[in-house]
Amino acid sequence: MKQKPTTLLSLTFTDSKTFHHFVIVVLSVSFQFFIFRNCFSNTIQNNCLPSALDSFDYANRARVFLDSGFSQAFADGFRVPGYPLVISLFMILFGDYAFVALRIFQVILTALTASMVYKALNDSFSKLRSFYLSIFFSFLPSWYFAPLLLAESL
C-alpha cells in the first residue's frame, strides 16, 4: 500500500521517516532557542552558565592563532587545536558576531544529532517509539552545552 504524502508548511514529505526527521530537528532547535533565548549573546561567557572558564582560553587561542599563527597559539600543548580553530573560522566568517553564530551552529548540530539518534533507533524500535525517544534525547544535551563555548559542544 502506497503511503499518502504528508504536507506541512508547504513542504511535502513522501514518507514518515523524513517527516519525523524534520519534526525532530525543528522541535529541538525551537526548544533550545526558547530555553536559551537570553543566552545567545556575542560574549565569550554569558549569564546562563558563567562557570565555563575554559571558554576564555579557547577564544584567546583562536585570537592568537589568527594574529600570530599556529605555533604561537598551541606551543604549550595544553589544548588540542580543534575547537580553537573552529572559533577562528567563525571569527573569520562572522567577524564581530562570531560567538553568537557559533552558539547557533552548536544548537543546529545538537538538533541534527537528535535526528541521527532517530535513524539509529529505527533499527531496533518502531518508528513511533524511535520518534519519541529522539524527541526526549533532543532535550537532554541542550541543557548544558548549547550556550557555552566549549569543545564538548561540538
Side-chain angles (χ1 to χ4, degrees), residues 1-13:
M1 184 172 141
K2 191 170 180 174
Q3 187 175 4
K4 182 180 173 187
T6 304
T7 303
L8 177 71
L9 302 173
S10 300
L11 298 172
T12 303
F13 302 95

mmCIF file with all atom_site columns, all heavy atoms in Angstrom, residues 1-13:
data_model
loop_
_atom_site.group_PDB
_atom_site.id
_atom_site.type_symbol
_atom_site.label_atom_id
_atom_site.label_alt_id
_atom_site.label_comp_id
_atom_site.label_asym_id
_atom_site.label_entity_id
_atom_site.label_seq_id
_atom_site.pdbx_PDB_ins_code
_atom_site.Cartn_x
_atom_site.Cartn_y
_atom_site.Cartn_z
_atom_site.occupancy
_atom_site.B_iso_or_equiv
_atom_site.pdbx_formal_charge
_atom_site.auth_seq_id
_atom_site.auth_comp_id
_atom_site.auth_asym_id
_atom_site.auth_atom_id
_atom_site.pdbx_PDB_model_num
ATOM 1   N N   . MET A 1 1  ? 0.835  -1.174 0.000  1.00 0.00 ? 1  MET A N   1
ATOM 2   C CA  . MET A 1 1  ? 0.000  0.000  0.000  1.00 0.00 ? 1  MET A CA  1
ATOM 3   C C   . MET A 1 1  ? 0.888  1.248  0.000  1.00 0.00 ? 1  MET A C   1
ATOM 4   O O   . MET A 1 1  ? 1.785  1.383  0.817  1.00 0.00 ? 1  MET A O   1
ATOM 5   C CB  . MET A 1 1  ? -0.884 -0.009 1.254  1.00 0.00 ? 1  MET A CB  1
ATOM 6   C CG  . MET A 1 1  ? -1.851 1.116  1.304  1.00 0.00 ? 1  MET A CG  1
ATOM 7   S SD  . MET A 1 1  ? -2.962 0.830  2.691  1.00 0.00 ? 1  MET A SD  1
ATOM 8   C CE  . MET A 1 1  ? -3.104 2.475  3.255  1.00 0.00 ? 1  MET A CE  1
ATOM 9   N N   . LYS A 1 2  ? 0.627  2.125  -0.930 1.00 0.00 ? 2  LYS A N   1
ATOM 10  C CA  . LYS A 1 2  ? 1.421  3.343  -1.050 1.00 0.00 ? 2  LYS A CA  1
ATOM 11  C C   . LYS A 1 2  ? 0.996  4.349  0.009  1.00 0.00 ? 2  LYS A C   1
ATOM 12  O O   . LYS A 1 2  ? -0.187 4.566  0.243  1.00 0.00 ? 2  LYS A O   1
ATOM 13  C CB  . LYS A 1 2  ? 1.248  3.925  -2.439 1.00 0.00 ? 2  LYS A CB  1
ATOM 14  C CG  . LYS A 1 2  ? 2.233  5.014  -2.734 1.00 0.00 ? 2  LYS A CG  1
ATOM 15  C CD  . LYS A 1 2  ? 2.178  5.392  -4.189 1.00 0.00 ? 2  LYS A CD  1
ATOM 16  C CE  . LYS A 1 2  ? 3.200  6.493  -4.406 1.00 0.00 ? 2  LYS A CE  1
ATOM 17  N NZ  . LYS A 1 2  ? 3.333  6.843  -5.783 1.00 0.00 ? 2  LYS A NZ  1
ATOM 18  N N   . GLN A 1 3  ? 1.993  4.969  0.647  1.00 0.00 ? 3  GLN A N   1
ATOM 19  C CA  . GLN A 1 3  ? 1.731  5.924  1.721  1.00 0.00 ? 3  GLN A CA  1
ATOM 20  C C   . GLN A 1 3  ? 1.382  7.286  1.142  1.00 0.00 ? 3  GLN A C   1
ATOM 21  O O   . GLN A 1 3  ? 1.993  7.763  0.184  1.00 0.00 ? 3  GLN A O   1
ATOM 22  C CB  . GLN A 1 3  ? 2.962  6.031  2.613  1.00 0.00 ? 3  GLN A CB  1
ATOM 23  C CG  . GLN A 1 3  ? 2.739  6.856  3.836  1.00 0.00 ? 3  GLN A CG  1
ATOM 24  C CD  . GLN A 1 3  ? 3.966  6.832  4.740  1.00 0.00 ? 3  GLN A CD  1
ATOM 25  O OE1 . GLN A 1 3  ? 4.982  6.259  4.404  1.00 0.00 ? 3  GLN A OE1 1
ATOM 26  N NE2 . GLN A 1 3  ? 3.848  7.456  5.880  1.00 0.00 ? 3  GLN A NE2 1
ATOM 27  N N   . LYS A 1 4  ? 0.410  7.937  1.734  1.00 0.00 ? 4  LYS A N   1
ATOM 28  C CA  . LYS A 1 4  ? -0.016 9.268  1.309  1.00 0.00 ? 4  LYS A CA  1
ATOM 29  C C   . LYS A 1 4  ? 1.019  10.286 1.776  1.00 0.00 ? 4  LYS A C   1
ATOM 30  O O   . LYS A 1 4  ? 1.447  10.273 2.933  1.00 0.00 ? 4  LYS A O   1
ATOM 31  C CB  . LYS A 1 4  ? -1.372 9.571  1.925  1.00 0.00 ? 4  LYS A CB  1
ATOM 32  C CG  . LYS A 1 4  ? -1.946 10.893 1.518  1.00 0.00 ? 4  LYS A CG  1
ATOM 33  C CD  . LYS A 1 4  ? -3.290 11.100 2.191  1.00 0.00 ? 4  LYS A CD  1
ATOM 34  C CE  . LYS A 1 4  ? -3.762 12.505 1.918  1.00 0.00 ? 4  LYS A CE  1
ATOM 35  N NZ  . LYS A 1 4  ? -4.974 12.811 2.676  1.00 0.00 ? 4  LYS A NZ  1
ATOM 36  N N   . PRO A 1 5  ? 1.464  11.203 0.888  1.00 0.00 ? 5  PRO A N   1
ATOM 37  C CA  . PRO A 1 5  ? 2.440  12.216 1.294  1.00 0.00 ? 5  PRO A CA  1
ATOM 38  C C   . PRO A 1 5  ? 1.889  13.128 2.389  1.00 0.00 ? 5  PRO A C   1
ATOM 39  O O   . PRO A 1 5  ? 0.707  13.441 2.419  1.00 0.00 ? 5  PRO A O   1
ATOM 40  C CB  . PRO A 1 5  ? 2.701  13.009 0.015  1.00 0.00 ? 5  PRO A CB  1
ATOM 41  C CG  . PRO A 1 5  ? 2.188  12.165 -1.093 1.00 0.00 ? 5  PRO A CG  1
ATOM 42  C CD  . PRO A 1 5  ? 1.120  11.302 -0.521 1.00 0.00 ? 5  PRO A CD  1
ATOM 43  N N   . THR A 1 6  ? 2.768  13.546 3.301  1.00 0.00 ? 6  THR A N   1
ATOM 44  C CA  . THR A 1 6  ? 2.408  14.470 4.377  1.00 0.00 ? 6  THR A CA  1
ATOM 45  C C   . THR A 1 6  ? 2.846  15.876 3.968  1.00 0.00 ? 6  THR A C   1
ATOM 46  O O   . THR A 1 6  ? 3.967  16.065 3.510  1.00 0.00 ? 6  THR A O   1
ATOM 47  C CB  . THR A 1 6  ? 3.117  14.067 5.674  1.00 0.00 ? 6  THR A CB  1
ATOM 48  O OG1 . THR A 1 6  ? 2.803  12.718 5.975  1.00 0.00 ? 6  THR A OG1 1
ATOM 49  C CG2 . THR A 1 6  ? 2.704  14.965 6.820  1.00 0.00 ? 6  THR A CG2 1
ATOM 50  N N   . THR A 1 7  ? 1.963  16.847 4.144  1.00 0.00 ? 7  THR A N   1
ATOM 51  C CA  . THR A 1 7  ? 2.289  18.226 3.814  1.00 0.00 ? 7  THR A CA  1
ATOM 52  C C   . THR A 1 7  ? 2.247  19.071 5.073  1.00 0.00 ? 7  THR A C   1
ATOM 53  O O   . THR A 1 7  ? 1.302  18.996 5.852  1.00 0.00 ? 7  THR A O   1
ATOM 54  C CB  . THR A 1 7  ? 1.293  18.799 2.776  1.00 0.00 ? 7  THR A CB  1
ATOM 55  O OG1 . THR A 1 7  ? 1.321  17.962 1.626  1.00 0.00 ? 7  THR A OG1 1
ATOM 56  C CG2 . THR A 1 7  ? 1.671  20.209 2.383  1.00 0.00 ? 7  THR A CG2 1
ATOM 57  N N   . LEU A 1 8  ? 3.309  19.844 5.281  1.00 0.00 ? 8  LEU A N   1
ATOM 58  C CA  . LEU A 1 8  ? 3.409  20.723 6.433  1.00 0.00 ? 8  LEU A CA  1
ATOM 59  C C   . LEU A 1 8  ? 4.123  21.990 5.989  1.00 0.00 ? 8  LEU A C   1
ATOM 60  O O   . LEU A 1 8  ? 5.239  21.931 5.466  1.00 0.00 ? 8  LEU A O   1
ATOM 61  C CB  . LEU A 1 8  ? 4.183  20.037 7.567  1.00 0.00 ? 8  LEU A CB  1
ATOM 62  C CG  . LEU A 1 8  ? 4.434  20.855 8.815  1.00 0.00 ? 8  LEU A CG  1
ATOM 63  C CD1 . LEU A 1 8  ? 3.133  21.055 9.578  1.00 0.00 ? 8  LEU A CD1 1
ATOM 64  C CD2 . LEU A 1 8  ? 5.443  20.162 9.707  1.00 0.00 ? 8  LEU A CD2 1
ATOM 65  N N   . LEU A 1 9  ? 3.497  23.131 6.185  1.00 0.00 ? 9  LEU A N   1
ATOM 66  C CA  . LEU A 1 9  ? 4.092  24.419 5.826  1.00 0.00 ? 9  LEU A CA  1
ATOM 67  C C   . LEU A 1 9  ? 4.577  24.443 4.378  1.00 0.00 ? 9  LEU A C   1
ATOM 68  O O   . LEU A 1 9  ? 5.689  24.852 4.077  1.00 0.00 ? 9  LEU A O   1
ATOM 69  C CB  . LEU A 1 9  ? 5.253  24.750 6.762  1.00 0.00 ? 9  LEU A CB  1
ATOM 70  C CG  . LEU A 1 9  ? 4.943  24.827 8.245  1.00 0.00 ? 9  LEU A CG  1
ATOM 71  C CD1 . LEU A 1 9  ? 6.218  24.991 9.039  1.00 0.00 ? 9  LEU A CD1 1
ATOM 72  C CD2 . LEU A 1 9  ? 3.974  25.957 8.524  1.00 0.00 ? 9  LEU A CD2 1
ATOM 73  N N   . SER A 1 10 ? 3.784  23.947 3.483  1.00 0.00 ? 10 SER A N   1
ATOM 74  C CA  . SER A 1 10 ? 4.079  23.885 2.046  1.00 0.00 ? 10 SER A CA  1
ATOM 75  C C   . SER A 1 10 ? 5.229  22.940 1.707  1.00 0.00 ? 10 SER A C   1
ATOM 76  O O   . SER A 1 10 ? 5.731  22.948 0.599  1.00 0.00 ? 10 SER A O   1
ATOM 77  C CB  . SER A 1 10 ? 4.389  25.272 1.479  1.00 0.00 ? 10 SER A CB  1
ATOM 78  O OG  . SER A 1 10 ? 3.295  26.126 1.663  1.00 0.00 ? 10 SER A OG  1
ATOM 79  N N   . LEU A 1 11 ? 5.675  22.136 2.665  1.00 0.00 ? 11 LEU A N   1
ATOM 80  C CA  . LEU A 1 11 ? 6.683  21.111 2.413  1.00 0.00 ? 11 LEU A CA  1
ATOM 81  C C   . LEU A 1 11 ? 5.977  19.772 2.321  1.00 0.00 ? 11 LEU A C   1
ATOM 82  O O   . LEU A 1 11 ? 5.129  19.453 3.152  1.00 0.00 ? 11 LEU A O   1
ATOM 83  C CB  . LEU A 1 11 ? 7.717  21.073 3.541  1.00 0.00 ? 11 LEU A CB  1
ATOM 84  C CG  . LEU A 1 11 ? 8.538  22.340 3.752  1.00 0.00 ? 11 LEU A CG  1
ATOM 85  C CD1 . LEU A 1 11 ? 9.359  22.217 5.016  1.00 0.00 ? 11 LEU A CD1 1
ATOM 86  C CD2 . LEU A 1 11 ? 9.451  22.581 2.567  1.00 0.00 ? 11 LEU A CD2 1
ATOM 87  N N   . THR A 1 12 ? 6.331  18.974 1.344  1.00 0.00 ? 12 THR A N   1
ATOM 88  C CA  . THR A 1 12 ? 5.711  17.665 1.171  1.00 0.00 ? 12 THR A CA  1
ATOM 89  C C   . THR A 1 12 ? 6.725  16.587 1.512  1.00 0.00 ? 12 THR A C   1
ATOM 90  O O   . THR A 1 12 ? 7.847  16.588 0.996  1.00 0.00 ? 12 THR A O   1
ATOM 91  C CB  . THR A 1 12 ? 5.214  17.493 -0.277 1.00 0.00 ? 12 THR A CB  1
ATOM 92  O OG1 . THR A 1 12 ? 4.306  18.551 -0.566 1.00 0.00 ? 12 THR A OG1 1
ATOM 93  C CG2 . THR A 1 12 ? 4.517  16.162 -0.452 1.00 0.00 ? 12 THR A CG2 1
ATOM 94  N N   . PHE A 1 13 ? 6.323  15.685 2.377  1.00 0.00 ? 13 PHE A N   1
ATOM 95  C CA  . PHE A 1 13 ? 7.175  14.573 2.801  1.00 0.00 ? 13 PHE A CA  1
ATOM 96  C C   . PHE A 1 13 ? 6.576  13.288 2.253  1.00 0.00 ? 13 PHE A C   1
ATOM 97  O O   . PHE A 1 13 ? 5.415  12.994 2.493  1.00 0.00 ? 13 PHE A O   1
ATOM 98  C CB  . PHE A 1 13 ? 7.261  14.509 4.330  1.00 0.00 ? 13 PHE A CB  1
ATOM 99  C CG  . PHE A 1 13 ? 7.798  15.774 4.932  1.00 0.00 ? 13 PHE A CG  1
ATOM 100 C CD1 . PHE A 1 13 ? 6.943  16.767 5.386  1.00 0.00 ? 13 PHE A CD1 1
ATOM 101 C CD2 . PHE A 1 13 ? 9.156  15.978 5.021  1.00 0.00 ? 13 PHE A CD2 1
ATOM 102 C CE1 . PHE A 1 13 ? 7.437  17.935 5.932  1.00 0.00 ? 13 PHE A CE1 1
ATOM 103 C CE2 . PHE A 1 13 ? 9.663  17.147 5.562  1.00 0.00 ? 13 PHE A CE2 1
ATOM 104 C CZ  . PHE A 1 13 ? 8.801  18.126 6.019  1.00 0.00 ? 13 PHE A CZ  1
#
